[in-house]
Amino acid sequence: MNALVGTFSTGMIALFQPLNFAIMVLGILWGIIFGAIPGLTATMGVALAIPITYGLKPETALILLSSIFVGAISGGFISAGLINMPGTPSSIATTFDAYPMSKRGETARAMAISLMSSFFGGIVAVFLMIIATYSLVQIALKFGPFEYFALGILAFAGCMGMMEGGIIKNALGFIIGLLLATIGADALTGTGRLTFGIPDLIAGIDILPLLVGMFGVSEVLVAIEEKTQNVVPIEARNTKVGFKVIFDAVKTILWEQPVNFLRSLVIGFIIGVFPAVGGATSCVVSYGFAKSFSKHPDKFGTGIPDGIIASEVANNATVPGTLVPLLALGIPGDATTAMMIGGFMIHGLFPGPLLFRDNPELVYTIFAAQFVGTIVMVILGIILMRFFINVLSIKSYYLFPIIMICMVVGGYGLYNRMLDVWLMLASGVMGYIFRKINIPVVPIITAFVLGPIIEKGLRQGLAYSGGSIMPLFTRPICLALLIGSVLLFILGMYVNVRVMSEISVSRPDEAES
């Protein structure tokens, strides 16, 4: 307990430096705007910020990225409640009840319940994140080569079972990611692999152009194709979330529905810890459980607080949850944390147990940024709700050219190489094509990040054991990870089926698409 208190105080000292605090507030504001406008997701917000962080100190850079993540997932409820379009995939279940509530003239109530559910879900989950991360990293510090290989299998099994698209397409994504990871010089022998005679590829593909292309550029291409139109009702543009409606929302969440709150919190956090799943799954699963245990399930989808609370508590509890595997094991919890890995790497940092050992102050700062950032988020939400609603009226296609220019400039500015720009654009086209044929992008990035770790672990382990793979089955941690891989795969398949069935019942058009 004393260690945790010391952890928090160290992070707070770094966070409340004037520049860092200003960056955090800016990041929250940035995130809410990107979360509120359909087509501008949390992943795109982080992708656009990563090149900017190159000129910042590592702690300041991580504060910015963490803050954008918090703000964007929270901001998704604004468009979900006003125009029936989730600003981020994490708010898809929020549309089921927030929009009907807003449509019948209770916009302020819908916004207040969503905002306070986001706040309570996020703030409590931060403490769960700290405890879970510390517990997990104590085990991870004992990892040897075979344990890292088994950990990679666990991550692959989680993605394979839980990601939409099916087992075959997820496996294809892993193969593509592993192939991309092998480009460049062999880590142990120095022999060039898949360089095709291009000297610049000897150093391999940098993660930043790949991430920005796969997530940022492809998001822009998809959004342009969909031609998203944001039409905010005129009567909703003057919505003011006052303290009375905020107090009523707090009473509804904590006093009238404590079981729904706690259940959604646990579901959201646990699903966030699973590799490569994220808030889109957690909010729908939580909504489904709330409906199943409700005394009036027939009222779900008509604009009741129960559904809003279940969705928003869960998706915001998922944010700290996704940071647990990232910080403790170096495995991305979802698409946005996969993007955040680029923010670590451009500063020469690698998330995982060694980050705790070598740069613990950075981990403490992320903890503090999550906690204080959630408080800043709710304050900005109360004060600036009318501003965010009017920002939602901005046509997102006006912003796409600016976003594309920023991403291209950022991709070039990292190493001043045009090769990175071409790689980023090529990755963007690949990401767009993969989305169209329903091949998830997250497994590609997961395999790209973990590929070198798995390869190195396996080759070193075989060298130590004289070519025997038996340590995978005789070392306790390895065996536990392999068994966990099987269980996680089965659980993932179950969760995936449940999510699709819930969406098909609550919103048939989403299931068909």
Side-chain angles (χ1 to χ4, degrees):
M1 182 61 68
N2 290 335
L4 293 181
V5 173
T7 292
F8 227 61
S9 61
T10 302
M12 289 293 185
I13 292 172
L15 183 64
F16 280 97
Q17 293 177 9
L19 176 61
N20 289 345
F21 188 79
I23 287 289
M24 183 194 66
V25 175
L26 177 63
I28 295 292
L29 190 61
W30 180 326
I32 294 176
I33 292 173
F34 267 76
I37 301 177
L40 305 184
T41 61
T43 306
M44 188 185 295
V46 172
L48 192 59
I50 284 180
I52 299 174
T53 64
Y54 185 66
L56 300 175
K57 293 180 179 179
E59 64 181 32
T60 307
L62 296 177
I63 287 171
L64 176 61
L65 299 180
S66 300
S67 301
I68 292 173
F69 193 11
V70 171
I73 300 302
S74 302
F77 74 78
I78 298 175
S79 56
L82 291 177
I83 60 176
N84 202 28
M85 293 179 63
T88 64
S90 298
S91 296
I92 182 174
T94 307
T95 62
F96 301 160
D97 280 288
Y99 180 68
M101 183 181 289
S102 179
K103 196 174 180 180
R104 66 171 181 249
E106 297 181 82
T107 301
R109 187 185 181 209
M111 295 295 103
I113 293 175
S114 300
L115 179 64
M116 298 313 298
S117 296
S118 298
F119 169 70
F120 287 120
I123 205 76
V124 177
V126 169
F127 294 102
L128 298 179
M129 171 187 69
I130 295 173
I131 296 170
T133 305
Y134 261 97
S135 302
L136 196 56
V137 83
Q138 300 306 314
I139 300 173
L141 285 171
K142 301 176 182 178
F143 280 10
F146 276 118
E147 281 78 10
Y148 276 107
F149 175 77
L151 178 63
I153 300 299
L154 177 71
F156 287 172
C159 286
M160 193 86 74
M162 291 195 176
M163 289 300 298
E164 60 181 20
I167 296 175
I168 295 177
K169 290 183 178 180
N170 287 332
L172 181 60
F174 286 131
I175 294 171
I176 293 171
L178 291 173
L179 286 173
L180 291 173
T182 59
I183 294 175
D186 186 292
L188 299 181
T189 66
T191 305
R193 301 184 299 189
L194 301 179
T195 59
F196 305 104
I198 302 175
D200 286 339
L201 287 181
I202 289 293
I205 295 178
D206 190 80
I207 191 170
L208 181 60
L210 184 67
L211 284 172
V212 174
M214 284 280 185
F215 290 111
V217 175
S218 64
E219 286 273 9
V220 171
L221 295 177
V222 170
I224 290 174
E225 181 186 36
E226 293 177 351
K227 298 180 181 178
T228 301
Q229 299 290 333
N230 307 335
V231 182
V232 180
I234 296 177
E235 61 273 12
R237 295 182 183 180
N238 294 320
T239 298
K240 183 179 180 181
V241 180
F243 286 103
K244 183 180 184 302
V245 71
I246 288 292
F247 177 79
D248 290 340
V250 172
K251 180 182 176 182
T252 300
I253 297 166
L254 300 182
W255 182 256
E256 297 177 5
Q257 301 200 30
V259 176
N260 187 15
F261 167 73
L262 292 174
R263 180 178 57 238
S264 303
L265 174 72
V266 172
I267 290 173
F269 183 78
I270 291 177
I271 289 181
V273 173
F274 290 153
V277 185
T281 299
S282 69
C283 73
V284 176
V285 171
S286 177
Y287 186 91
F289 271 95
K291 186 175 180 180
S292 299
F293 286 96
S294 175
K295 297 178 180 178
H296 42 78
D298 54 305
K299 293 185 179 180
F300 276 73
T302 63
I304 60 174
D306 310 45
I308 302 175
I309 294 169
S311 175
E312 286 301 313
V313 169
N315 64 27
N316 282 270
T318 301
V319 173
T322 58
L323 291 173
V324 173
L326 177 70
L327 296 175
L329 304 173
I331 299 175
D334 66 351
T336 309
T337 48
M339 180 66 67
M340 289 177 66
I341 290 178
F344 282 92
M345 289 187 170
I346 64 174
H347 289 281
L349 302 169
F350 296 90
L354 297 184
L355 185 68
F356 273 83
R357 188 191 69 185
D358 301 333
N359 303 97
E361 70 283 353
L362 296 179
V363 181
Y364 305 159
T365 302
I366 293 174
F367 290 162
Q370 287 285 307
F371 180 78
V372 179
T374 304
I375 297 174
V376 171
M377 177 275 297
V378 76
I379 293 173
L380 291 178
I382 295 173
I383 297 174
L384 301 177
M385 182 58 70
R386 187 179 299 178
F387 166 75
F388 293 132
I389 291 174
N390 283 284
V391 164
L392 182 58
S393 303
I394 298 175
K395 301 295 186 294
S396 56
Y397 52 75
Y398 290 149
L399 303 176
F400 293 143
I402 300 173
I403 292 172
M404 280 295 298
I405 291 172
C406 291
M407 286 191 288
V408 170
V409 171
Y412 176 78
L414 187 61
Y415 298 116
N416 296 324
R417 298 189 309 179
M418 277 304 298
L419 176 66
D420 290 331
V421 175
W422 295 121
L423 287 173
M424 182 187 71
L425 296 177
S427 300
V429 174
M430 286 174 57
Y432 171 76
I433 294 172
F434 292 151
R435 288 168 186 263
K436 299 304 293 182
I437 59 178
N438 200 28
I439 294 180
V441 177
V442 174
I444 299 175
I445 299 301
T446 301
F448 181 82
V449 171
L450 294 180
I453 299 173
I454 293 173
E455 180 188 10
K456 182 179 178 181
L458 180 61
R459 291 171 70 176
Q460 287 184 343
L462 291 175
Y464 294 154
S465 65
S468 173
I469 63 170
M470 287 308 297
L472 276 173
F473 305 100
T474 58
R475 295 169 69 95
I477 296 179
C478 286
L479 185 59
L481 289 172
L482 292 177
I483 295 174
S485 300
V486 177
L487 297 177
L488 189 59
F489 177 78
I490 296 172
L491 178 62
M493 295 294 292
Y494 167 75
V495 170
N496 216 348
V497 170
R498 186 180 181 97
V499 167
M500 294 309 298
S501 63
E502 184 60 42
I503 291 179
S504 65
V505 172
S506 301
R507 178 177 280 192
D509 57 314
E510 289 285 349
E512 293 171 3
S513 60

